[in-house]
Amino acid sequence: MAIAIICSGGDAPGMNPAIKKFVDYVYKCEQTPYFIYDGLEGMIDGNIKKADHKDVAGIIHIGGAIIGSSRSKRFYEYKYRKQAFENLQKHDINKIIVLGGDGSYNAFGVFAKEFPISFIGIPTTIDNDIYGTEYCLGVDTALNVIRSAVDSIRDTASTFKRAFVVETMGRECGYLAAVTAISSGAEVCVIPEMNFNKKVAKHYLKKDIAEGRRYILAIVAEGTKATTDIKEWLENEIGMETRISVLGHIQRGGNPTVHDRMMAFEFVVRGVALLLKEEMIHQAIGYQNGDFVSMEISVVNSGKYSVPDNILKDLHYLD
Ligand code: F6P
């Protein structure tokens, strides 16, 4: 039986360990693994190839995805989805592991309503914003990349008595910013989920400065679009020279951490097992309360992820 893997949307560290496990495990199950290269764009263009053990040798420690990924505008059009299905048919593929985020889940939700394909989604995005799972592949690596950057910024901030606004990725989700702020001991954290109370923050930061505080770290989630505003507030209201550091795409790179490798293996083995067990299935795997679960894709696609309260409660000056 042919089973394919595709990476779709923003890449995340952990994709390569997942791809390696996929090939090894599918062969172990005596089935045939296929790669769909370059995401949905590659599926439309028929960029599909049988995978071999040697294709995945020496990739376990590398960020990104050796099979490529893409965001596809063409896939919104029925004619291209039909073309993609016909390409899959040429290889007798009707079972697919999808490494991607909510955009990819939505795309496959539509695709599977129109054509007889089975798929299992594996939550893969540094944003950690998929409903039904506490963890998405790539998040631990991204958090460690951010931690390393913030540790370095703190060195220069404290030397120069400056404030720094560090902007993290995450789209509309403040998870990366919130966990970074807590684990880096940042004074300020601004996320889309809650209101940042400037008045209360000003009171305490001014007091701290009067007592000898030399620097301020402010972690701002990109989804707030408040990076410049917070910089101006720190300079004009708090009275500290301020610099902005937008971390950008370095957050998507880096060698996958041990945690991301282990999670990749667990997700993939479960995903392949489900595809082999069920004739027709459209689900996503999630991680909840220390265990792996699978949920109908329609449920995942209609839900909204929220940052857990136990994280939000540890942030300062939010209401
Ligand atoms: O979804 C992952 C992500 O890195 C977001 O955090 C960010 O907003 C977006 O992708 C950036 O997209 P692109 O790589 O297309 O610029």
Side-chain angles (χ1 to χ4, degrees), residues 146 149-150 153 164-170 176-177 180 190 218-228 243-251:
I146 300 169
V150 172
I153 285 170
F164 267 83
V165 180
V166 179
E167 184 187 287
T168 56
M169 278 187 166
L176 289 178
T180 296
V190 186
I219 312 297
V220 177
E222 66 170 353
T224 62
K225 298 188 168 50
T227 303
T228 308
R243 295 285 186 269
I244 288 175
S245 191
V246 178
L247 299 184
H249 287 77
I250 65 160
Q251 295 162 96

Side-chain angles (χ1 to χ4, degrees), residues 2-284:
I3 308 181
I5 191 165
I6 186 171
C7 296
S8 177
D11 51 280
M15 282 181 161
N16 279 332
I19 291 164
K20 176 171 172 49
K21 188 68 174 184
F22 168 78
V23 172
D24 294 346
Y25 189 67
V26 169
Y27 274 122
K28 193 175 169 198
C29 297
E30 298 178 343
Q31 310 299 329
T32 311
Y34 278 82
F35 288 154
I36 300 170
Y37 286 94
D38 298 330
L40 297 172
E41 285 290 294
M43 197 157 88
I44 292 167
D45 293 334
N47 201 351
I48 299 169
K49 190 184 130 284
K50 193 175 148 201
D52 208 311
H53 284 297
K54 69 174 178 345
D55 295 324
V56 294
I59 68 162
I60 209 166
H61 61 298
I62 305 170
I66 58 151
I67 62 173
S69 184
S70 61
R71 303 191 200 280
S72 174
K73 287 211 171 73
R74 287 192 294 167
F75 205 72
Y76 286 109
E77 290 182 52
Y78 176 80
K79 69 172 177 184
Y80 290 114
R81 296 197 291 274
K82 183 163 176 286
Q83 190 171 312
F85 176 67
E86 286 161 3
N87 288 330
L88 294 173
Q89 277 187 313
K90 286 179 197 157
H91 301 275
D92 278 333
I93 296 167
N94 77 341
K95 291 180 187 293
I96 307 176
I97 293 283
V98 180
L99 303 182
D102 50 4
S104 313
Y105 283 10
N106 276 311
F108 270 87
V110 171
F111 192 44
K113 277 196 184 131
E114 297 166 340
F115 303 101
I117 59 132
S118 263
F119 73 91
I120 293 288
I122 291 179
T124 311
T125 166
I126 65 162
D127 302 340
N128 211 46
D129 62 349
I130 300 183
Y131 179 72
T133 187
E134 291 160 17
Y135 191 77
C136 299
L137 207 51
V139 169
D140 188 57
T141 309
L143 283 172
N144 277 292
V145 167
I146 300 169
R147 178 206 37 80
S148 165
V150 172
D151 286 350
S152 300
I153 285 170
R154 185 199 309 274
D155 293 344
T156 176
S158 62
T159 308
F160 256 76
K161 288 194 181 176
R162 277 176 175 165
F164 267 83
V165 180
V166 179
E167 184 187 287
T168 56
M169 278 187 166
R171 260 183 220 285
E172 301 304 314
C173 180
Y175 183 88
L176 289 178
V179 174
T180 296
I182 295 166
S183 57
S184 299
E187 288 66 43
V188 169
C189 179
V190 186
I191 54 174
E193 288 81 357
M194 294 183 82
N195 178 50
F196 177 61
N197 191 327
K198 282 183 179 160
K199 200 170 156 219
V200 176
K202 181 176 173 179
H203 171 78
Y204 286 104
L205 290 174
K206 287 285 230 187
K207 186 167 166 291
D208 281 0
I209 290 167
E211 289 168 1
R213 163 165 292 287
R214 292 178 61 82
Y215 67 94
I216 294 169
L217 286 179
I219 312 297
V220 177
E222 66 170 353
T224 62
K225 298 188 168 50
T227 303
T228 308
D229 176 60
I230 295 297
K231 177 195 189 272
E232 284 166 4
W233 174 74
L234 284 163
E235 291 200 313
N236 302 333
E237 301 272 330
I238 307 299
M240 205 178 261
E241 187 183 14
T242 306
R243 295 285 186 269
I244 288 175
S245 191
V246 178
L247 299 184
H249 287 77
I250 65 160
Q251 295 162 96
R252 288 237 297 264
N255 302 22
T257 58
V258 170
H259 186 64
D260 273 326
R261 298 179 199 193
M262 299 301 277
M263 290 300 278
F265 303 157
E266 295 283 354
F267 278 134
V268 162
V269 166
R270 284 172 168 79
V272 171
L274 280 170
L275 284 175
L276 291 178
K277 187 165 151 242
E278 304 291 338
E279 181 120 358
M280 195 47 77
I281 185 169
H282 309 118
Q283 293 189 350

